[in-house]
């Protein structure tokens, strides 16, 4: 990894931490809701967009839309989502069918 790549990774981690900190209690609510959902739907294949569509009515909207990215990172770190290695098109109208990682739900 080059120094530039390492700098970019550190910057990304710092930004994710900042978004997570600004999310306050919302992040905990989302992780709790995902844990409950994963218990009932173990093995289901999802994307971050799928999770957002399912969990936002339960946990509410975040302070900023980027908080969903930070939440997805936490879901992977905590083991609720396991990457499948596939990237699939998003379906939301604002996403313009860009590719997003696919995950499998895991019960913890």
């Amino acid at each position: 990894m080059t120094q530039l790549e390492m700098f970019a990774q550190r910057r990304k981690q710092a930004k994710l931490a900042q978004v997570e900190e600004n999310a306050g209690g919302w992040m905990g609510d989302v992780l709790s809701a995902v844990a409950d959902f994963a218990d009932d739907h173990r093995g289901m294949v999802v994307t971050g967009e799928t999770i957002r569509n399912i969990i936002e009515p339960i946990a509410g909207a975040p302070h900023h839309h980027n908080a969903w990215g930070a939440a997805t990172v936490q879901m992977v770190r905590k083991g609720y989502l396991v990457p499948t290695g596939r990237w699939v098109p998003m379906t939301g109208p604002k996403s313009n069918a860009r590719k997003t990682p696919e995950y499998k739900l895991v019960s913890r």
Side-chain angles (χ1 to χ4, degrees):
M1 184 179 288
T2 69
Q3 280 188 317
L4 187 57
E5 290 169 331
M6 289 188 316
F7 174 76
Q9 280 288 30
R10 283 194 303 268
R11 185 164 170 78
K12 177 182 176 182
Q13 292 304 318
K15 291 295 183 184
L16 284 171
Q18 180 181 6
V19 169
E20 185 177 338
E21 183 179 321
N22 291 341
W26 177 86
M27 187 69 71
D29 293 345
V30 165
L31 293 174
S32 177
V34 168
D36 291 343
F37 186 77
D39 285 344
D40 295 336
H41 297 87
R42 184 179 341 166
M44 181 179 177
V45 176
V46 298
T47 64
E49 181 182 46
T50 307
I51 294 294
R52 183 189 68 216
N53 291 336
I54 293 167
I55 301 301
E56 192 168 78
I58 298 166
H63 71 289
H64 190 276
H65 64 272
N66 285 352
W68 280 110
T72 302
V73 168
Q74 284 299 318
M75 291 174 217
V76 172
R77 284 184 182 153
K78 292 190 177 293
Y80 301 128
L81 299 178
V82 176
T84 66
R86 292 188 56 215
W87 288 68
V88 297
M90 295 175 79
T91 59
K94 294 181 180 179
S95 67
N96 297 314
R98 72 181 173 274
K99 299 277 182 151
T100 189
E102 180 182 76
Y103 304 96
K104 187 188 302 188
L105 278 171
V106 178
S107 178
R108 296 255 73 220

